[in-house]
Amino acid sequence: MFDKFRDEFSRARGRYIAGFVLLFLICVVCVYQISGYITFLWPGDEEIGDARKKLDHSQRALLASFNKRFKLRRHRELLKARSKELWLKDCDGEPALGMKRLIDSATEGAEFALSSVGAARSTKVADGVSLVGLSVRGKASFKSIVRFIAAMENTTPRVYWKSLLLRPVNPRRPGEILLNGYIQVVVVSDSEAARFFSGVEK
């Protein structure tokens, strides 16, 4: 029986060799085809270095984005915290009339009568933002003048002095002081900006 098997193997040896060669070639082709996947599963030093560089770049970009977002939020909070210093037209009304009411209130508390209040003038600063100011003039005792200035400094919305000149009415008799100044407010007329500053946002 062994002799019979040997004879059959001898006759089929060529076919076996051809089959093994064909199988070997198929294996080589398969290895070549999946070599990319093998490299992906087991990356080399170059691939690891490239991936690390991309990761570092992505981390730096993400950190820069976080820092920028934090700065914008901080600026937003600081800006909103100063909302009481702005004249919001939708909330505070017309600045020309409102400023005169603030002046009347300040002079009444300071026992100080102004001799003249100029007409309000508006100067555009940006879209939806302007400066509205007017001149004031009067004379009183130094104590009354100081009380008036302090009252104007504590108004809401905030009133700013663009110019302020104090001098004695009579240098030989410095009992009365002449005040000559120009006050102004920062007016926000843009509706969306006014909602942001007033805390009423969509």
Side-chain angles (χ1 to χ4, degrees):
M1 181 176 179
F2 178 76
D3 292 339
K4 182 179 180 181
F5 176 77
R6 185 180 59 186
D7 292 339
E8 290 179 358
F9 179 78
S10 297
R11 288 193 298 269
R13 184 171 55 184
R15 293 196 299 271
Y16 283 120
I17 293 174
F20 283 129
V21 171
L22 180 61
L23 181 62
F24 176 76
L25 292 175
I26 291 173
C27 291
V28 170
V29 172
C30 290
V31 170
Y32 176 78
Q33 291 292 333
I34 67 173
S35 60
Y37 297 101
I38 295 176
T39 303
F40 175 76
L41 293 176
W42 292 280
D45 293 338
E46 184 177 354
E47 288 79 8
I48 293 174
D50 292 340
R52 184 173 296 168
K53 289 179 181 178
K54 292 179 180 178
L55 179 61
D56 291 341
H57 177 75
S58 299
Q59 288 177 336
R60 287 194 297 269
L62 182 61
L63 181 60
S65 177
F66 281 145
N67 290 336
K68 183 178 180 180
R69 185 179 181 89
F70 174 78
K71 288 180 180 179
L72 289 174
R73 180 174 294 179
R74 181 59 178 163
H75 290 162
R76 177 187 175 94
E77 291 174 355
L78 291 174
L79 189 61
K80 199 165 186 177
R82 302 189 64 177
S83 60
K84 293 183 178 180
E85 300 181 11
L86 304 174
W87 192 286
L88 306 179
K89 197 170 182 180
D90 289 350
C91 303
D92 302 315
E94 286 295 330
L97 299 175
M99 289 177 69
K100 291 182 178 180
R101 285 196 296 268
L102 293 178
I103 292 171
D104 291 341
S105 177
T107 54
E108 183 179 352
E111 299 178 357
F112 170 44
L114 291 171
S115 58
S116 67
V117 177
R121 297 180 180 179
S122 178
T123 304
K124 182 178 178 180
V125 177
D127 290 339
V129 181
S130 59
L131 294 175
V132 176
L134 51 81
S135 60
V136 292
R137 182 181 176 89
K139 61 181 178 179
S141 66
F142 181 76
K143 185 177 181 179
S144 295
I145 293 287
V146 170
R147 283 202 298 258
F148 170 71
I149 294 174
M152 294 301 294
E153 286 290 325
N154 294 321
T155 60
T156 302
R158 179 75 181 274
V159 174
Y160 298 91
W161 290 94
K162 182 179 180 181
S163 63
L164 178 61
L165 174 64
L166 299 176
R167 63 178 178 83
V169 176
N170 187 345
R172 296 181 181 180
R173 298 169 56 190
E176 283 189 316
I177 303 296
L178 176 65
L179 178 147
N180 194 356
Y182 190 88
I183 59 174
Q184 59 187 11
V185 293
V186 181
V187 180
V188 177
S189 56
D190 182 79
S191 298
E192 291 186 6
R195 282 196 295 269
F196 165 75
F197 285 115
S198 63
V200 181
E201 298 184 67
K202 293 182 179 179

